[in-house]
């Protein structure tokens, strides 16, 4: 169970059927029991899946394997078939002929024995089969960890269900961690930019070894299940349930989890020291010669990841020039294909990227470039528009109407208008219905306008990085009464903005980042040496312009900010290599019940050594949190730009994509 009590299922049992309903109590609801899952008859038999169950290097004999199709809501599923493993750990289960192509399959295994040692009841293994309909699958400790972290936001007491496309994508994410037929670590997990270059492989092995220890008596499994208890006090009954709860409360009892890594672990390498949060994060960097300063990400209706690029990649820093590529990453397809699109006036994209109601991708061309680029300097005065197929819609120079000047945040509102924050001329420009030829200047005198966000009432707020304020506009572009709001006592070099479903807009205070908005300014790298020593804050801006500031959660120079489907907050930090997590304004979805209460640790957030300097952060429909590695940890003047994207698996309440206006649950 996660920080999402509104999505959990309260079971109501009739004589032979289960009726599940989504509820929103202030306390954790009753989970769905395994015995309440329905099943299909043998007359509906279809393809066959064969597999094997192992613990460590040993086959599990006599285990009960059950094959399920995930339901349409969290915590609902249908039992398709079951089997008992033979002395080699092998099994065969049948897929019902009525199973649709879009259905998600998963399997669990309990009981049996390995090398004549009985497997305790608390040891439950699982594997996400995703779209597998025939062929082979493995069920072991590694498949259990991979499926648990990937499907965490769709699990209730280990029962899986949820809406498309988030569920379908989440069910395929384990293939980036485990090779499904053999149950061995996937190459993507074991090789650069992951592998031993980050802590994730060791974290993954540690969790898998804990399960082995539970099976073979090499640790205190009851103590592990205690440590895996979620933030609402729900204790997992099995190791499979534990792996679905840990991502939702990774820092709950981190030392308690670490204490159960066996002294002689089954899988290596394992963590050599404690971690403040048991997160599994993966790095995506294409072929290693593409990303160079991604500023932000956006998700299309299929849940695929779109990212912009500050600069071009080059082996020679002197040739690092404005970014002219737009990337589309599908992390759920085999080998994580990434398409590259050009044209449309792309020219040194900045922080602004979004997808509108027409599924068109918008990018703001801020004009980033390397300090020694020999090409003509970027114009810094346009936005670009692309179709979902990657074809440019805007012309070779992009859209210049506005006027635009060093644009950053670019976002659609619920009426189809495109709002653009212009850092260079201190303005906000609106393209009504996305029509650049009808551009309207909604506001001027906004010092270094950086980002925009629309609240639930339809008002739009713009952050002023150079003015320590936010400016508010009605949906027609007219100023809100009392605008601008706040001042130096509330805001400090604000950057990102995101709205929640309750009418608030949340703003990140960097505290130090003064965005360069002309060719005569620069963000000097030497000043960044002090960033790890600095703390940051966020501010809640109410519908009436009232403000309230919060700190903690490990925030260090906050930049981007995102709101998840439970209205809780996720903050990207430009320093410190950590992700911050705080309670939003909806008390029922936070254990503390207080807006702004820190959830991630105060002394380091959700740290990950694969992070660099992060700007953008967004939550996808599968409950994953994505960040952009925008600058390298120790920047150099000629090419300070970072090299890709990072995803934290299964930690946030999913958000419907594309994100337009306020976040909605899928």
């Amino acid at each position: 169970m996660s920080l999402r009590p509104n999505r959990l299922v309260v079971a109501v049992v009739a004589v032979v059927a289960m009726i599940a309903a989504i509820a929103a109590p202030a306390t954790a609801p009753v989970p769905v029991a395994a015995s309440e899952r329905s099943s299909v008859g043998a007359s509906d038999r279809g393809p066959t899946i064969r597999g094997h169950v192992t613990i460590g290097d040993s086959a599990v004999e006599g285990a009960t394997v059950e094959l399920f199709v995930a339901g349409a809501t969290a915590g609902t599923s249908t039992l398709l078939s079951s089997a008992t493993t033979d002395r080699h750990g092998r099994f065969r289960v049948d897929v019902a002929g009525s199973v649709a192509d879009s259905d998600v399959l998963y399997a669990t295994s309990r009981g049996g024995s390995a090398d004549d040692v009985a497997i305790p009841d608390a040891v439950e293994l699982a594997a996400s089969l995703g779209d597998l309909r025939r062929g082979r699958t493995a069920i072991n400790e590694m498949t259990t960890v991979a499926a648990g972290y990937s499907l965490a936001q769709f699990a209730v007491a280990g029962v899986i269900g949820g809406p498309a496309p988030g569920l379908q994508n989440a069910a395929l994410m384990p293939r980036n961690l485990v090779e499904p037929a053999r149950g061995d670590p996937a190459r993507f997990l074991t090789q650069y930019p992951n592998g031993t270059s980050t802590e994730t492989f060791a974290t993954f092995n540690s969790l898998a070894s804990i399960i082995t220890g539970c099976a073979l008596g090499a640790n205190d499994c009851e103590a592990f299940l205690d440590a895996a208890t979620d933030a609402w006090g729900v204790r997992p009954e099995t190791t499979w349930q534990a792996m679905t709860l840990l991502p939702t409360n990774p820092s709950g009892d981190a030392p308690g989890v670490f204490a159960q890594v066996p002294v002689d672990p089954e899988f290596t390498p394992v963590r050599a020291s404690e971690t403040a949060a048991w997160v599994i994060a993966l790095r995506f960097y294409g072929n290693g010669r593409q990303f160079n300063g991604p500023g932000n990400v956006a998700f299309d209706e299929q849940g695929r990841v779109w990212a912009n690029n500050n600069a071009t990649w080059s082996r020679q820093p002197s040739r690092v020039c404005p970014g002219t590529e737009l990337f589309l990453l599908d992390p759920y397809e085999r080998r994580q294909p990434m398409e590259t699109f050009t044209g449309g006036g792309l020219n040194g994209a900045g922080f602004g990227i979004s997808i509108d109601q027409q599924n068109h991708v918008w990018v703001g061309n801020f004009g980033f470039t390397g300090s020694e680029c020999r090409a003509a300097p970027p114009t810094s005065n346009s936005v670009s528009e692309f179709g979902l197929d990657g074809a440019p819609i805007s012309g070779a120079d992009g859209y210049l109407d506005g006027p635009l000047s060093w644009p950053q945040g670019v976002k659609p509102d619920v009426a189809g208008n495109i709002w653009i924050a212009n850092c260079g001329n201190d303005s906000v420009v609106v393209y009504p219905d996305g029509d650049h030829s009808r551009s309207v200047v909604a506001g001027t005198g906004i010092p270094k306008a950086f980002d925009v966000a629309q609240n639930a009432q339809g008002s739009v707020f713009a952050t002023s990085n150079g003015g320590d304020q936010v400016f508010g506009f009605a949906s027609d572009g007219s100023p809100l009464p009392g605008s601008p709001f706040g001042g130096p006592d509330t805001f400090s070099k604000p950057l990102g903005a995101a709205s929640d479903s309750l009418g608030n807009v949340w703003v990140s205070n960097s505290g130090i980042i003064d965005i360069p908005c002309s060719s005569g300014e620069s963000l000097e790298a030497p000043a960044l040496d002090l960033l790890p020593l600095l703390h940051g804050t966020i501010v809640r801006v109410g519908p009436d312009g009232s403000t309230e500031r919060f700190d903690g959660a490990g925030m260090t120079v906050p930049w981007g900010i995102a709101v998840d489907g439970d209205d809780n907050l996720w903050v990207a930090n430009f320093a410190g290599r950590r992700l911050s997590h705080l309670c939003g304004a909806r008390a029922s979805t936070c254990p503390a019940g207080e807006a702004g209460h820190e959830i991630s640790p105060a002394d380091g957030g959700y740290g990950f050594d694969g992070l660099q300097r992060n700007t953008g952060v967004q939550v996808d429909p599968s409950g994953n949190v994505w960040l952009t590695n925008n600058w390298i940890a120790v920047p150099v003047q000629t090419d300070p730009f970072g090299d890709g994207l990072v995803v934290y698996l299964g930690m946030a309440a999913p958000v419907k994509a594309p994100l337009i206006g306020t976040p909605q649950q899928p």
Side-chain angles (χ1 to χ4, degrees):
M1 202 170 294
S2 71
L3 301 179
R4 303 189 59 210
N6 58 304
R7 74 161 172 87
L8 302 182
V9 176
V10 178
V12 181
V13 183
V15 177
V16 294
M18 176 192 75
I19 302 175
I22 301 298
T27 58
V30 180
V32 178
S35 61
E36 293 163 3
R37 303 161 178 161
S38 59
S39 62
V40 297
S43 61
D44 190 25
R45 182 173 299 171
T48 296
I49 294 175
R50 301 176 185 271
H52 61 279
V53 180
T54 58
I55 288 287
D57 292 328
S58 301
V60 179
E61 179 182 3
T64 299
V65 175
E66 295 182 315
L67 176 67
F68 297 94
V69 58
T73 56
T76 62
S77 65
T78 299
L79 176 64
L80 295 178
S81 61
S82 62
T84 301
T85 58
D86 65 16
R87 63 189 181 90
H88 300 292
R90 297 175 301 196
F91 65 88
R92 166 181 166 172
V93 287
D94 297 313
V95 178
S98 59
V99 170
D101 291 342
S102 60
D103 285 337
V104 165
L105 302 183
Y106 69 100
T108 63
S109 172
R110 295 188 73 171
S113 61
D115 294 334
D116 296 325
V117 176
I119 305 298
D121 290 341
V123 176
E124 181 180 18
L125 306 177
S128 174
L129 279 59
D131 57 3
L132 184 68
R133 297 295 180 265
R134 54 173 49 86
R136 297 188 177 275
T137 188
I139 304 177
N140 61 20
E141 305 96 312
M142 288 193 169
T143 65
T144 305
V145 178
Y149 269 74
S150 299
L151 289 163
Q153 293 296 324
F154 303 94
V156 179
V159 183
I160 304 299
L167 174 66
Q168 285 73 15
N169 290 341
L172 297 177
M173 181 63 84
R175 295 176 183 175
N176 291 320
L177 299 167
V178 177
E179 198 288 321
R182 296 189 304 271
D184 297 330
R187 291 182 61 187
F188 187 70
L189 174 64
T190 62
Q191 296 184 359
Y192 192 86
N194 298 297
T196 56
S197 67
T198 78
E199 61 195 287
T200 291
F201 189 30
T203 297
F204 184 82
N205 286 335
S206 297
L207 292 169
S209 294
I210 288 174
I211 298 176
T212 311
C214 285
L216 304 181
N219 59 13
D220 186 342
C221 198
E222 292 301 311
F224 166 65
L225 296 178
D226 288 341
T229 297
D230 80 353
W232 298 92
V234 176
R235 180 184 185 273
E237 295 181 358
T238 69
T239 51
W240 160 235
Q241 292 179 25
M243 293 305 155
T244 66
L245 293 183
L246 273 175
T248 71
N249 189 32
S251 57
D253 184 6
V257 174
F258 180 75
Q260 301 312 319
V261 179
V263 175
D264 185 15
E266 183 66 33
F267 308 102
T268 56
V270 295
R271 296 194 63 89
S273 59
E274 293 184 7
T275 176
W278 285 88
V279 302
I280 289 182
L282 294 171
R283 295 175 64 194
F284 290 84
Y285 84 146
N287 61 16
R289 300 178 300 278
Q290 293 167 299
F291 282 120
N292 202 38
N296 211 340
V297 297
F299 310 107
D300 62 28
E301 60 185 3
Q302 300 175 47
R304 300 177 303 175
V305 187
W306 293 78
N308 57 11
N309 218 28
N310 287 176
T312 55
W313 184 91
S314 173
R315 294 185 185 277
Q316 298 181 3
S318 62
R319 296 183 182 178
V320 174
C321 292
T324 58
E325 295 176 320
L326 175 66
F327 301 119
L328 170 58
L329 168 69
D330 191 337
Y332 312 107
E333 287 290 330
R334 298 182 188 278
R335 297 185 177 88
Q336 310 85 32
M338 192 166 78
E339 297 181 74
T340 301
F341 307 107
T342 59
L346 284 175
N347 195 6
F351 186 69
I353 181 171
S354 61
I355 300 177
D356 67 15
Q357 294 168 319
Q358 305 301 316
N359 287 312
H360 292 177
V361 184
W362 292 80
V363 180
N365 295 307
F366 179 76
F368 275 108
T369 188
S371 61
E372 299 180 22
C373 175
R374 299 172 184 174
T379 56
S380 302
N381 65 347
S382 68
V383 295
S384 299
E385 182 183 8
F386 289 79
L388 204 59
D389 60 356
I393 298 174
S394 52
D397 296 326
Y399 298 140
L400 309 177
D401 310 87
L404 305 181
S405 178
W406 297 73
Q408 285 281 22
V410 178
K411 292 180 181 175
D413 66 18
V414 295
N417 307 310
I418 305 298
W419 294 71
I420 305 163
N422 292 287
C423 189
N425 63 9
D426 305 335
S427 73
V428 170
V429 167
V430 182
Y431 287 173
D433 299 320
D435 185 349
H436 65 97
S437 68
R438 297 162 51 204
S439 65
V440 175
V441 178
T444 58
I446 308 171
K448 295 189 175 183
F450 187 82
D451 200 12
V452 290
Q454 183 182 41
N455 70 9
Q457 286 72 32
S459 300
V460 175
F461 291 81
T463 60
S464 172
N465 176 253
D468 295 334
Q469 292 176 306
V470 297
F471 290 69
F473 305 92
S475 57
D476 63 1
S478 60
L480 292 178
S483 177
F485 306 108
D489 293 337
T490 304
F491 294 102
S492 179
K493 304 294 182 184
L495 293 173
S499 59
D500 65 24
S501 68
L502 304 175
N504 304 293
V505 167
W506 296 83
V507 173
S508 61
N509 275 334
S510 71
I512 189 175
I513 301 296
D514 191 357
I515 297 297
C517 295
S518 73
S519 57
E521 297 181 282
S522 64
L523 184 60
E524 297 295 336
L528 299 177
D529 294 340
L530 299 176
L531 295 188
L533 305 177
L534 301 175
H535 298 288
T537 60
I538 59 173
V539 177
R540 175 172 63 174
V541 183
D544 59 354
S546 59
T547 58
E548 186 176 11
R549 187 165 63 179
F550 305 95
D551 58 11
M555 287 188 290
T556 306
V557 192
W559 195 298
I561 186 168
V563 177
D564 68 21
D566 277 346
D567 288 321
N568 293 316
L569 313 172
W570 299 85
V571 182
N573 296 285
F574 198 63
R577 299 199 296 183
R578 77 278 302 267
L579 170 67
S580 296
H581 185 196
L582 302 94
C583 288
R586 199 190 326 169
S588 64
T589 62
C590 265
E594 297 179 0
H597 182 83
E598 61 186 12
I599 299 175
S600 57
D603 58 352
Y606 296 141
F608 174 52
D609 60 0
L611 293 178
Q612 296 171 346
R613 297 190 183 276
N614 305 114
T615 50
V617 59
Q618 300 292 342
V619 178
D620 73 13
S622 296
N624 305 311
V625 184
W626 292 81
L627 298 103
T628 54
N629 273 345
N630 182 253
W631 274 36
I632 57 178
V634 182
V636 295
Q637 188 64 35
T638 52
D639 186 4
F641 302 105
D643 64 6
L645 310 178
V646 173
V647 59
Y648 283 65
L649 299 186
M651 294 177 62
V655 173
K656 180 181 178 181
L659 173 61
I660 299 170
T662 61
Q664 302 176 48
Q665 295 185 7

